[in-house]
Amino acid sequence: MSMDFNLYMNDLLRQARSEMEASGYEQLTTAEGVEEAFKRPGTTLVMVNSVCGCAGGIARPAAAHAVHYDKRPDHLVTVFAGQDKEATAQARMLFGEDHLPSSPSFALLKDGKLVAEVGRYEIEGHDPMSVVVNLQSQFEEFCEEV
């Protein structure tokens, strides 16, 4: 029995994207879409999605659960590293020179400026709840109560 790798990957990508959309995140698939989203006033949580195990087992569940909090970002968006390459590159460029690209990861923007991050090193090897707590501590500092 042989398995078509592309069929497997396409199914995996569909699932990863649909998990984020079901959690209320807007897919940014172009550099122009990233530019527009980053111009929005208020706070924006950007999840840099990935196909790795720590994205599926830790980061995406944390992204879904972290937003169930009294203070939360005004906007939820996601770019997909390795898939939407131009969108991801544009987001990373707009995060600024001090940003260390990693995926999966999270970036919290306030009025288009990076104010906090959760890098892969704070996701991989951790449980989803510790990532949720990390994100919610950032929401507490930078976001308004809903």
Side-chain angles (χ1 to χ4, degrees), residues 21-138:
E21 288 175 350
S23 299
Y25 287 75
E26 174 189 358
Q27 296 279 339
L28 302 177
T29 58
T30 66
E32 295 79 18
V34 168
E35 287 276 345
E36 289 302 312
F38 282 31
K39 288 179 184 174
R40 296 175 187 154
T43 51
T44 301
L45 180 63
V46 182
M47 194 273 192
V48 179
N49 203 351
S50 175
V51 295
C52 71
C54 62
I58 303 166
R60 286 194 298 273
H65 294 289
V67 296
H68 298 286
Y69 192 67
D70 290 340
K71 292 184 176 183
R72 62 185 147 224
D74 301 308
H75 312 284
L76 304 173
V77 300
T78 182
V79 295
F80 209 125
Q83 302 304 311
D84 302 320
K85 294 177 183 177
E86 291 178 11
T88 304
Q90 185 66 22
R92 288 175 170 160
M93 185 191 80
L94 294 173
F95 292 154
E97 291 179 13
D98 293 335
H99 170 74
L100 295 174
S102 66
S103 58
S105 64
F106 296 91
L108 184 62
L109 310 175
K110 187 162 187 150
D111 297 324
K113 304 284 186 236
L114 182 69
V115 293
E117 294 183 83
V118 175
R120 181 184 177 106
Y121 71 95
E122 296 171 284
I123 298 169
E124 186 176 33
H126 294 81
D127 63 276
M129 202 59 212
S130 68
V131 178
V132 168
V133 169
N134 191 346
L135 288 168
Q136 288 177 343
S137 71
Q138 294 175 1

